[in-house]
């Protein structure tokens, strides 16, 4: 009887242990997508209430810039980035990331993403964060929500999960973020370029192709940061990280050392030098309406021949035809050549692109391909030193 009990206990332990292996997680998620993420989040909640109760947990929420802000905040606290670039920001992957962080690490920074109404509460309640960083609100996942204001309200429900004494650090330049957070009675620290922010950016400049420079004010003292980030929009991640680290007690000098030289996140306006001498601006991680505009803003500032490779718009705002025509019009005034990856969106681009080609716009050539591999083939042999793709 005793031997049978031992074997049974060993078998149960083995089954439970398999849940924490990569193979076990993959099996469970593929078989039961609705059940097991909740199981892991509940397990993370139990872990938070016991072994991790002394850790300070800060979560980063928002539509855009979460990964870069998370990485910047980790660097500001002089913490390892871990798998932040892998974007484990939802369900079981987020819970597992949290539970894998060593308990001796007193400060924890996690990215939290959502895709539908009600999901923010289910994710943040087990984590019981001590702090929240709210980056901005955009149209990503807009089809799951009534409107963009509803997205802001859903994300702000994370504040309900704050532990006593928790604080919120928000983008003070985003009126939707400010309005959503104002519904809660919680201490708020703001960052941004507007004059009323607690941590304020004074200027942003790009010294292409070397670096970007941010001048900011922190409690009356001016600082200058050099970084590999390329856009003023991405500099909000630096301001958010500075505001967060300062709010949790770090000195300006320590924050400055941590943030200096922050590289771009993979696939988010990431600068890559090709063998031909041309610069590739990889912005392929997301293709939402706002991120396309932000990438074109950067491209418009840069010297040399400009080539755009583009496909569809993720969750294009309605009316979609207007969104595509707006992007095509901007490309016409910025790029010398365009490569369009074929899809249902091609006809949305077509009319406006023909108009741009027939006018005196900068755009001189449009090539249509059917895959990323064909896009690479179309560009091979045509790029030279100083070209920007």
């Amino acid at each position: 009887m005793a031997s049978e009990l031992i074997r049974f206990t060993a078998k149960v332990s083995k089954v439970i242990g398999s849940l924490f292996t990569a193979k076990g997680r993959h099996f469970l998620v593929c078989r039961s997508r609705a059940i097991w993420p909740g199981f892991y989040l509940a397990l993370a909640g139990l872990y938070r209430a016991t072994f991790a109760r002394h850790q300070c947990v800060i979560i980063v929420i928002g539509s855009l810039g979460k990964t870069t802000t998370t990485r910047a905040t980790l660097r500001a606290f002089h913490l390892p980035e871990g798998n932040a670039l892998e974007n484990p920001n939802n369900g079981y992957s987020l819970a597992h990331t949290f539970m894998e962080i060593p308990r001796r690490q007193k400060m924890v920074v996690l990215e939290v993403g959502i895709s539908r109404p009600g999901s923010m509460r289910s994710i943040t309640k087990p984590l019981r964060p001590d702090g929240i960083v709210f980056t901005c609100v955009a149209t990503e996942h807009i089809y799951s929500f009534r409107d963009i204001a509803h997205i802001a309200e859903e994300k702000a429900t994370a504040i309900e999960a704050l532990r006593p004494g928790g604080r919120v650090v928000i983008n003070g330049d985003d009126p939707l973020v400010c309005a959503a957070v104002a519904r809660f009675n919680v201490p708020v620290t703001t960052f941004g370029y507007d004059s009323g922010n607690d941590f304020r950016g004074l200027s942003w400049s790009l010294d292409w192709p070397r670096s970007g420079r941010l001048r900011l004010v922190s409690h009356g003292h001016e600082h200058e940061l050099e970084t590999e980030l390329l856009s003023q929009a991405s500099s909000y991640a630096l301001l958010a990280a500075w505001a967060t680290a300062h709010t949790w007690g770090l000195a300006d000098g320590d924050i400055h050392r941590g943030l200096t030289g922050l590289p771009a996140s993979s696939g988010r306006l990431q600068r890559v030098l090709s063998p031909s001498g041309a610069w590739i601006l990889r912005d392929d991680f997301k293709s939402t309406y706002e991120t396309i505009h932000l990438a074109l803003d950067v491209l418009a500032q840069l010297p040399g021949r400009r080539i755009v490779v583009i496909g569809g718009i993720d969750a294009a705002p309605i009316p979609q035809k207007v969104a595509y025509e707006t992007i095509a019009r901007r490309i016409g005034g910025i790029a010398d050549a365009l490569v369009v990856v074929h899809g249902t969106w091609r006809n949305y681009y077509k009319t406006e692109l023909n108009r741009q080609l027939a006018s005196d716009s900068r755009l001189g050539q449009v090539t249509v391909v059917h895959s990323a591999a064909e896009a690479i083939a179309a560009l091979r042999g045509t790029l030279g030193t100083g070209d920007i793709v």
Side-chain angles (χ1 to χ4, degrees):
M1 186 68 179
S3 61
E4 291 179 0
L5 182 61
I6 291 172
R7 283 196 297 272
F8 176 77
T9 304
K11 185 176 289 187
V12 171
S13 300
K14 185 177 181 180
V15 170
I16 294 175
S18 69
L19 303 179
F20 296 92
T21 65
K23 188 175 180 180
R25 294 200 304 272
H26 179 73
F27 172 80
L28 291 174
V29 171
C30 289
R31 294 283 178 165
S32 306
R33 287 186 178 273
I35 298 173
W36 290 108
F39 166 77
Y40 275 107
L41 284 169
L43 201 60
L46 179 62
Y47 176 77
R48 172 63 164 149
T50 54
F51 299 109
R53 65 187 183 277
H54 298 305
Q55 288 181 308
C56 178
V57 176
I58 297 173
I59 63 171
V60 180
I61 64 174
S63 297
L64 306 175
K66 293 190 297 295
T67 300
T68 302
T69 300
T70 300
R71 292 179 51 244
T73 305
L74 286 167
R75 286 180 63 119
F77 282 113
H78 300 271
L79 296 172
E81 291 185 21
N83 63 342
L85 270 174
E86 297 172 15
N87 207 40
N89 67 11
N90 202 296
Y92 88 98
S93 59
L94 173 63
H96 231 276
T97 296
F98 173 50
M99 290 186 287
E100 286 178 341
I101 295 173
R103 293 198 301 272
R104 65 178 180 274
Q105 184 175 311
K106 298 303 180 185
M107 185 68 66
V108 175
V109 184
L110 298 168
E111 174 184 344
V112 174
I114 61 169
S115 59
R116 62 186 186 279
S119 54
M120 183 61 82
R121 285 186 178 91
S122 64
I123 294 172
T124 54
K125 187 177 179 180
L127 296 176
R128 295 302 309 276
D130 299 277
I132 296 172
V133 182
F134 199 162
T135 61
C136 67
V137 180
T139 57
E140 187 182 23
H141 306 307
I142 188 64
Y143 297 153
S144 298
F145 296 86
R146 293 192 304 268
D147 50 37
I148 194 170
H150 188 208
I151 296 176
E153 291 169 5
E154 171 64 27
K155 290 181 181 293
T157 59
I159 296 173
E160 297 171 1
L162 276 175
R163 292 211 290 189
R167 296 187 62 91
V168 181
V169 179
I170 69 170
N171 178 353
D173 292 353
D174 190 320
L176 288 173
V177 171
C178 295
V181 172
R183 298 182 296 122
F184 299 90
N185 183 21
V186 61
V188 174
T189 300
T190 61
F191 63 87
Y193 283 85
D194 291 347
S195 58
N197 287 299
D198 300 315
F199 294 84
R200 183 163 62 95
L202 297 176
S203 65
W204 169 262
S205 60
L206 178 60
D207 183 15
W208 175 260
R210 288 186 289 276
S211 63
R213 287 186 175 84
L214 168 66
R215 286 180 57 245
L216 62 95
V217 173
S218 172
H219 287 270
H221 299 284
E222 289 191 20
H223 305 271
E224 185 172 289
L225 269 174
E226 188 170 308
T227 174
E228 293 184 22
L229 304 181
L230 300 180
S231 71
Q232 181 168 332
S234 61
S235 73
Y236 277 86
L238 300 172
L239 291 170
W242 194 298
T244 304
H246 198 286
T247 298
W248 268 268
L250 261 68
D252 284 341
D254 292 332
I255 301 171
H256 189 281
R257 283 191 294 274
L259 291 178
T260 296
L262 177 72
S265 299
S266 178
R268 286 88 156 178
L269 274 178
Q270 180 188 14
R271 179 187 54 187
V272 180
L273 183 62
S274 72
S276 67
W279 287 100
I280 313 295
L281 296 186
R282 281 193 54 201
D283 200 49
D284 51 287
F285 181 78
K286 278 185 182 178
S287 187
T288 58
Y289 184 69
E290 291 88 354
T291 58
I292 293 172
H293 277 293
L294 293 175
L296 293 175
D297 288 343
V298 173
L299 185 63
Q301 301 175 49
L302 305 182
R305 189 167 70 107
R306 306 166 185 164
I307 302 100
V308 171
V309 181
I310 197 167
I313 304 173
D314 292 343
I318 297 172
Q320 292 189 1
K321 189 173 186 293
V322 173
Y324 278 94
E325 287 177 346
T326 302
I327 295 294
R329 195 175 303 115
R330 285 213 66 197
I331 291 173
I334 292 171
D336 298 286
L338 171 66
V339 178
V340 179
V341 181
H342 188 277
T344 56
W345 50 81
R346 184 196 168 193
N347 289 333
Y348 288 142
Y349 284 128
K350 186 176 180 180
T351 302
E352 183 59 34
L353 288 176
N354 287 336
R355 187 180 295 118
Q356 293 294 318
L357 289 170
S359 69
D360 58 352
S361 71
R362 180 165 180 152
L363 186 64
Q365 179 184 357
V366 176
T367 304
V368 179
V369 298
H370 290 80
S371 66
E374 285 188 21
I376 294 171
L379 292 174
R380 185 176 287 121
T382 68
L383 302 178
T385 301
D387 290 345
I388 301 168
V389 182

